[in-house]
Amino acid sequence: MRRSIATVCISGTLEEKLESIARARFDAVEIFENDLIYSRLSPREIRQRCADLGLGIDLYQPFRDMDGVDEARFQRNLDRAERKFDLMVELGAPMLLVCSNVQPGMICDDALLAAQMHAMAEKAAERGLRIAYEALAWGHHVNRYEHAWEIVRKADHPHLGLCLDSFHILSRGDDPAGIEQIPAEKLFFLQLADAPRMVMDVLQWSRHYRCFPGQGTFDLVGFMEHVLKAGYAGPLSLEVFNDIFRAAPNRRTTLDAFESLLFLEEQIRRRLESRIPTDPAARPLTERIELFNPPAPPEVRGVSFIEFAVDDASGKALGKALQALGFDHTGTHRTKSVQLFQQGDVRLMVNNEPGSFASDYFQRRGPSICALGLATDDGQRAVNRGVAFHVPSYAGRIGPNEAVIPALRAVDDSIIYFVSQALEDKGFLATDFVMKDAKPVASRAGIERVDHIAQGYPFEQFDTGVLFNRVVLGLKPQESMELADPNGLVRSCAMVNADQSLRIALNVSHSRSTVSGRSTEALQGGGVHHIALSSSDIFASAEYLAKSGVGLLDVPDNYYDDLPARFDIDEALLKRMRRLGVLYDRNDEGAFFHFYTQMFVDRFFFEIVQRSDAYAGFGASNAPVRMSAQAVRAAG
């Protein structure tokens, strides 16, 4: 299908927007009125510029307050519309978007509205143009798509049809199933936007919080199924109003936008294909409409390894810290300055190879997590999927006979390796490393596996991170929440796979303060700020680490004084938790114990966790305690 985007979605001048949109491989644009007014290019020059870039112009928008006015005002509106039609002819835009009137003083008479829209469509027809009528969710009289269709039906003009906007329909909770009853020839245009669920005025929600498909919570796949069953075959066009997107560099935003459309197409295709056994009518849709068909998402089975970028001094310090955490130094890379540490199923690599990706990463960010290795069924398919969505692949320097692990570059410029089961079965560690001992690594501190990873993002990259993890890794977002830190609010969204073997918590500070003891600006683009390791006995782990000299985060006594008011908790257990700095959470599914180490070189830290029963959360209620304790320590 034709892929389009409104210029209002992104930052920059109109010329800059068009270039960015073309680079992202869109087919066409909607020209937003203000973008044209503020441009130094004439409409004819804009038309030529789009042609040079290979972009069509699908729509000019918006035209406001046309309907439901008295005769004198309507004649002035027609004069205004005539000037817009002249402009559109020069621009080469075949369609004008007309929004339903939002003025409280309008005349609420459907017959009048239909007659006025007919008259406007008649004027448009004289120039071979069409009018797409859209019900704004906050329209004074017409604010639902069914009502807009009734106006269009009564107007009965071949150059007048509907513009369906997913935000205006889904934000009001309207049932999109009725779209299937609208004749296909009257569905002139389709605008798409996702959004997080929010309880607020719909106008403010629309103007500031829309996002691209896959970044919010709307059921756009279900919405699109109804639209396609109605016979719509026009452009899929994004119209997103978002303060962050309009402030961020447009290159990243347009790439996200295009990726989101591809992802939506894939989801629609899979939904339709799944319907075929019980709904034969779905098959003609899959044959009629060409939808994006990338390789299937990877079946991620947890974390295979985590790699740290260090220099000589920080590498030695980190090695000592890991050994204090109960890790054994189990191997040295055959050709590179990389050390392997293991405990239970956790593998940590410390990379100090000169001239490598890790060395470059260290130069930009200091000691940090530079790569994740994910265990998956087919690593090459995972990378092929990412490349299909225009995610850059990565190929590092490989020595003789060393394992080749397919990889992609992540949003924060780190690397994600995809370790196939076949590669794991061959023992890729023994291939690449000189191992000290072939025996299984004992869990001296009770640490068994990686429970979850937490990533901090710059403010403008949070939605990009959500989209990347959904599209490339096949993770699903959990409920987004806001947590108080000493300097403002931190927005957090956990993303997990089906069996919870991979959990990634995405965090961003609304105050641009801390998510990990330092600002995301200081972390130069964010990245993994803490690693949570699961323990079979949280208290034994805490005792071991304390005896090993690991610095644990101090938890204020007030926290433990308050716990009995929140939970029915045994006094002896509470005393033990207080002594070791263990935090606690519980819900209907189970309980959660966890504690934190102090930060390593002010860059990252470790969390030790123990889950009971089916607890699937992250102890979010305790996050402010952790952030406050880190802030106190950083200040002291």
Side-chain angles (χ1 to χ4, degrees):
M1 299 188 74
R2 187 175 171 94
R3 300 168 185 131
S4 182
I5 185 172
T7 56
V8 74
C9 297
I10 60 177
S11 66
T13 65
L14 179 58
E15 296 91 320
E16 292 169 342
K17 293 181 181 190
L18 294 176
E19 289 176 4
S20 183
I21 289 167
R23 283 199 304 268
R25 306 183 193 182
F26 279 94
D27 301 309
V29 294
E30 301 176 38
I31 301 292
F32 193 68
E33 182 178 57
N34 287 352
D35 284 323
L36 184 143
I37 291 172
Y38 302 154
S39 175
R40 293 186 179 276
L41 298 180
S42 71
R44 288 187 181 276
E45 289 172 331
I46 293 170
R47 177 179 187 171
Q48 186 59 52
R49 183 61 180 145
C50 286
D52 292 342
L53 292 169
L55 292 172
I57 300 176
D58 284 341
L59 186 76
Y60 183 70
Q61 63 122 328
F63 194 94
R64 303 180 186 277
D65 305 328
M66 177 71 193
D67 53 333
V69 296
D70 60 41
E71 183 61 26
R73 177 64 183 272
F74 180 66
Q75 288 304 317
R76 291 197 296 273
N77 283 347
L78 278 183
D79 291 340
R80 182 162 56 100
E82 293 265 24
R83 289 194 290 272
K84 295 299 180 184
F85 294 152
D86 291 340
L87 181 152
M88 290 170 61
V89 170
E90 291 188 52
L91 190 63
M95 193 180 305
L96 176 67
L97 177 69
V98 176
C99 301
S100 62
N101 201 325
V102 300
Q103 300 302 320
M106 71 169 292
I107 302 169
C108 301
D109 181 335
D110 284 6
L112 175 67
L113 268 63
Q116 291 178 342
M117 293 307 301
H118 181 99
M120 188 179 188
E122 187 68 20
K123 292 290 186 183
E126 292 173 4
R127 294 169 173 81
L129 304 175
R130 297 198 296 170
I131 303 295
Y133 185 55
E134 176 185 41
L136 298 182
W138 54 92
H140 181 68
H141 181 55
V142 179
N143 48 46
R144 299 182 185 274
Y145 79 91
E146 298 100 328
H147 196 173
W149 162 233
E150 185 63 17
I151 301 300
V152 169
R153 187 188 65 79
K154 288 181 177 179
D156 190 24
H157 195 289
H159 284 250
L160 177 67
L162 276 184
C163 173
L164 298 176
D165 185 306
S166 64
F167 180 86
H168 293 304
I169 294 171
L170 299 179
S171 64
R172 296 199 62 122
D174 291 348
D175 184 357
I179 293 172
E180 295 184 32
Q181 306 307 314
I182 300 173
E185 64 272 15
K186 285 299 183 181
L187 297 177
F188 277 13
F189 207 74
L190 176 67
Q191 294 178 323
L192 295 166
D194 206 341
R197 281 291 172 191
M198 305 180 80
V199 180
M200 66 185 307
D201 174 74
V202 69
L203 174 58
Q204 296 304 312
W205 188 13
S206 172
R207 284 289 176 258
H208 304 287
Y209 297 100
R210 294 198 203 190
C211 53
F212 296 127
Q215 294 177 329
T217 58
F218 284 173
D219 180 15
L220 291 181
V221 179
F223 171 82
M224 280 300 306
E225 184 176 2
H226 295 303
V227 172
L228 295 179
K229 283 184 175 179
Y232 179 77
L236 301 183
S237 190
L238 297 170
E239 188 200 40
V240 170
F241 298 86
N242 186 295
D243 296 340
I244 297 173
F245 295 175
R246 286 181 288 194
N250 62 33
R251 175 61 171 161
R252 180 69 259 176
T253 307
T254 49
L255 289 174
D256 286 352
F258 194 74
E259 183 179 296
S260 77
L261 270 187
L262 297 182
F263 182 53
L264 179 60
E265 287 186 32
E266 179 198 23
Q267 290 181 299
I268 296 166
R269 185 183 53 77
R270 293 184 186 279
R271 170 80 71 91
L272 292 174
E273 289 174 347
S274 70
R275 290 274 197 267
I276 291 174
T278 57
D279 182 9
R283 183 179 295 280
L285 291 179
T286 62
E287 296 172 349
R288 175 174 66 86
I289 304 167
E290 183 178 351
L291 296 167
F292 186 57
N293 187 16
E299 295 179 14
V300 179
R301 298 162 182 170
V303 177
S304 175
F305 64 85
I306 299 173
E307 186 172 344
F308 297 81
V310 296
D311 62 0
D312 187 58
S314 60
K316 291 177 180 177
L318 181 56
K320 290 180 180 179
L322 294 179
Q323 289 175 318
L325 283 165
F327 284 84
D328 287 321
H329 179 208
T330 56
T332 299
H333 201 280
R334 295 181 186 276
T335 63
K336 302 181 181 72
S337 182
V338 181
Q339 308 303 318
L340 175 65
F341 295 82
Q342 293 181 264
Q343 182 176 186
D345 292 332
V346 183
R347 303 156 168 170
L348 305 179
M349 298 179 185
V350 180
N351 191 331
N352 183 27
E353 175 66 12
S356 67
F357 162 79
S359 175
D360 178 62
Y361 203 84
F362 173 84
Q363 293 299 321
R364 289 181 285 118
R365 300 173 184 243
S368 51
I369 292 91
C370 64
L372 298 176
L374 301 181
T376 186
D377 58 328
D378 187 332
Q380 190 57 57
R381 190 185 81 234
V383 168
N384 290 346
R385 176 179 175 82
V387 171
F389 281 99
H390 305 160
V391 176
S393 61
Y394 171 78
R397 189 171 71 246
I398 304 297
N401 302 317
E402 291 176 3
V404 178
I405 308 177
L408 294 169
R409 283 191 181 271
V411 174
D412 64 351
D413 202 36
S414 64
I415 301 300
I416 297 182
Y417 292 97
F418 295 91
V419 183
S420 300
Q421 186 61 50
L423 193 61
E424 190 74 58
D425 292 341
K426 290 179 181 179
F428 77 97
L429 288 179
T431 300
D432 286 12
F433 288 84
V434 177
M435 307 299 289
K436 290 186 175 182
D437 195 337
K439 296 179 182 178
V441 179
S443 298
R444 290 189 291 167
I447 290 171
E448 297 179 328
R449 64 186 65 87
V450 175
D451 182 87
H452 66 272
I453 293 166
Q455 294 181 315
Y457 280 90
F459 195 70
E460 66 277 6
Q461 285 189 358
F462 185 84
D463 291 306
T464 298
V466 171
L467 189 64
F468 179 88
N469 282 283
R470 285 197 74 174
V471 171
V472 178
L473 303 184
L475 305 185
K476 292 187 177 179
Q478 308 300 289
E479 182 181 0
S480 183
M481 57 186 67
E482 291 187 334
L483 310 169
D485 83 350
N487 299 296
L489 291 174
V490 169
R491 181 184 173 195
S492 182
C493 178
M495 305 199 69
V496 303
N497 63 350
D499 65 0
Q500 307 258 333
S501 61
L502 180 63
R503 304 180 181 97
I504 300 178
L506 311 185
N507 302 303
V508 64
S509 174
H510 283 255
S511 62
R512 294 187 179 268
S513 58
T514 60
V515 294
S516 61
R518 297 180 68 195
S519 69
T520 50
E521 286 84 355
L523 300 181
Q524 298 183 33
V528 174
H529 62 77
H530 91 257
I531 299 166
L533 307 171
S534 67
S535 168
S536 55
D537 187 335
I538 192 81
F539 295 103
S541 295
E543 295 276 13
Y544 179 91
L545 298 191
K547 289 178 182 178
S548 298
V550 176
L552 303 182
L553 194 64
D554 294 326
V555 180
D557 283 335
N558 290 340
Y559 170 80
Y560 296 103
D561 293 339
D562 182 63
L563 271 185
R566 297 167 52 208
F567 303 107
D568 181 14
I569 193 165
D570 180 75
E571 184 62 34
L573 176 62
L574 182 64
K575 184 176 180 180
R576 195 178 186 191
M577 290 168 58
R578 187 192 298 263
R579 180 173 63 85
L580 294 170
V582 175
L583 304 171
Y584 180 75
D585 188 35
R586 188 173 69 213
N587 57 27
D588 293 340
E589 283 72 46
F592 186 65
F593 296 90
H594 58 139
F595 67 88
Y596 300 93
T597 70
Q598 294 174 6
M599 298 196 71
F600 180 78
V601 294
D602 199 25
R603 184 59 177 83
F604 56 83
F605 57 95
F606 294 92
E607 178 185 9
I608 313 300
V609 311
Q610 183 177 354
R611 300 173 183 271
S612 72
D613 300 321
Y615 183 94
F618 297 83
S621 62
N622 295 324
V625 178
R626 186 262 297 171
M627 290 185 283
S628 295
Q630 288 175 327
V632 168
R633 182 168 182 82

